[in-house]
Amino acid sequence: MNFEQAVLNQLEANANAQQAVKMAAYMKNQFVFYGISSPTRKLICKELYNEYGVPENAIEVAKVLFLRPHRECHYIAQELLLKAKNQWKEHHIEDIEWFILQSSWWDTVDFLASNVVGAYFNNWPENKADIIHQWNVSEDIWLIRTSILFQLKYKAKVDTILLANSILPHIQNKAFFIRKAIGWALRSYADVNPSWVISFIENNELQPLSIKEALRKLPK
C-alpha cells in the first residue's frame, strides 16, 4: 500500500458524518469533509509517517491528495508539502503557486503563505521580489493575499520595503480577505516593531478594518 492510499484508508476509517456537516457549514459549504478534527488528523499523519516515512515524490503525492474532494486531504497535502521541503528545488515555486490556486480559501492559502511560501523564500531570497510583485499585481485575491502574508513568521527579519510595497497598491481594495490580510501582516510585525507599524498607518489611508486588525494587540 502506498502513502496516498494509506491516508485515504485512515481518513475513511475515522470519518464522522455529524462532525463533517458542521465543518462544511463553517467553511460555507464550499468543501466536503470527512469530519476529522485537527488533532486526530495530525495523529493519523504522525502514525503514517512513522510507518511509511515521507514519500520520495512527496510533491506529486501532495498534488494527488489536493485534487481529492475532501478538505482533510488538502490539509494533509499541504502539510506533506512543507514536511518535504528538503526535496524542493528552485523551480518548485510553480508547484507552490498551483497549490495556492487550487480549491482556494483562507484555510489553505494562509497555511501555504506563512509556512510554505515563507520557507521557500528563505531558501531562494533572490527570487522573492519578482515573484511577490507578480502575485501582488495579479487579479487573483489569493495570490495577492499570499504576497501580503508570506512574511508572517519572519518577525524581525521582515523586509519592510517589500511589505509596504505589497500593501500600498491594495489599501483601497474592498475585498474582505485583502483588508484582513493587510491588518494581520501589520499586526504580526507590530510584535517586533510597533513604531514602524504605527507610522505606516499614520502616513497611509488604510481602511478601518485593516487599521483595527493592525492595532489589535497594541495599547490604546
Side-chain angles (χ1 to χ4, degrees), residues 102 111-112 173 185:
Q102 190 72 33
F111 178 93
L112 291 164
N173 192 316

PDB file of all heavy atoms in Angstrom, residues 102 111-112 173 185:
ATOM      1  N   GLN A 102      -5.423  26.216  -6.066  1.00  0.00           N
ATOM      2  CA  GLN A 102      -6.282  25.040  -6.140  1.00  0.00           C
ATOM      3  C   GLN A 102      -7.244  25.026  -4.957  1.00  0.00           C
ATOM      4  O   GLN A 102      -6.828  25.035  -3.803  1.00  0.00           O
ATOM      5  CB  GLN A 102      -5.419  23.765  -6.120  1.00  0.00           C
ATOM      6  CG  GLN A 102      -6.172  22.497  -6.425  1.00  0.00           C
ATOM      7  CD  GLN A 102      -6.569  22.406  -7.887  1.00  0.00           C
ATOM      8  OE1 GLN A 102      -5.864  22.890  -8.769  1.00  0.00           O
ATOM      9  NE2 GLN A 102      -7.696  21.788  -8.159  1.00  0.00           N
ATOM     10  N   PHE A 111      -2.085  28.893   5.373  1.00  0.00           N
ATOM     11  CA  PHE A 111      -1.028  27.922   5.730  1.00  0.00           C
ATOM     12  C   PHE A 111       0.076  27.960   4.688  1.00  0.00           C
ATOM     13  O   PHE A 111       1.271  28.012   5.024  1.00  0.00           O
ATOM     14  CB  PHE A 111      -1.610  26.517   5.828  1.00  0.00           C
ATOM     15  CG  PHE A 111      -0.577  25.461   6.136  1.00  0.00           C
ATOM     16  CD1 PHE A 111      -0.327  25.075   7.443  1.00  0.00           C
ATOM     17  CD2 PHE A 111       0.162  24.846   5.128  1.00  0.00           C
ATOM     18  CE1 PHE A 111       0.635  24.118   7.744  1.00  0.00           C
ATOM     19  CE2 PHE A 111       1.121  23.893   5.405  1.00  0.00           C
ATOM     20  CZ  PHE A 111       1.364  23.528   6.723  1.00  0.00           C
ATOM     21  N   LEU A 112      -0.306  27.937   3.435  1.00  0.00           N
ATOM     22  CA  LEU A 112       0.690  27.934   2.368  1.00  0.00           C
ATOM     23  C   LEU A 112       1.503  29.219   2.367  1.00  0.00           C
ATOM     24  O   LEU A 112       2.725  29.193   2.204  1.00  0.00           O
ATOM     25  CB  LEU A 112      -0.001  27.744   1.014  1.00  0.00           C
ATOM     26  CG  LEU A 112      -0.617  26.360   0.772  1.00  0.00           C
ATOM     27  CD1 LEU A 112      -1.599  26.400  -0.399  1.00  0.00           C
ATOM     28  CD2 LEU A 112       0.465  25.321   0.522  1.00  0.00           C
ATOM     29  N   ASN A 173      -8.542  48.394  -1.653  1.00  0.00           N
ATOM     30  CA  ASN A 173      -9.179  47.168  -2.144  1.00  0.00           C
ATOM     31  C   ASN A 173     -10.317  46.791  -1.198  1.00  0.00           C
ATOM     32  O   ASN A 173     -10.119  46.679   0.010  1.00  0.00           O
ATOM     33  CB  ASN A 173      -8.136  46.046  -2.211  1.00  0.00           C
ATOM     34  CG  ASN A 173      -8.625  44.833  -2.970  1.00  0.00           C
ATOM     35  OD1 ASN A 173      -9.756  44.380  -2.805  1.00  0.00           O
ATOM     36  ND2 ASN A 173      -7.759  44.273  -3.805  1.00  0.00           N
ATOM     37  N   ALA A 185      -0.920  41.225   8.620  1.00  0.00           N
ATOM     38  CA  ALA A 185       0.515  41.354   8.363  1.00  0.00           C
ATOM     39  C   ALA A 185       1.119  42.468   9.216  1.00  0.00           C
ATOM     40  O   ALA A 185       2.215  42.312   9.788  1.00  0.00           O
ATOM     41  CB  ALA A 185       0.746  41.640   6.882  1.00  0.00           C
TER      42      ALA A 185
END
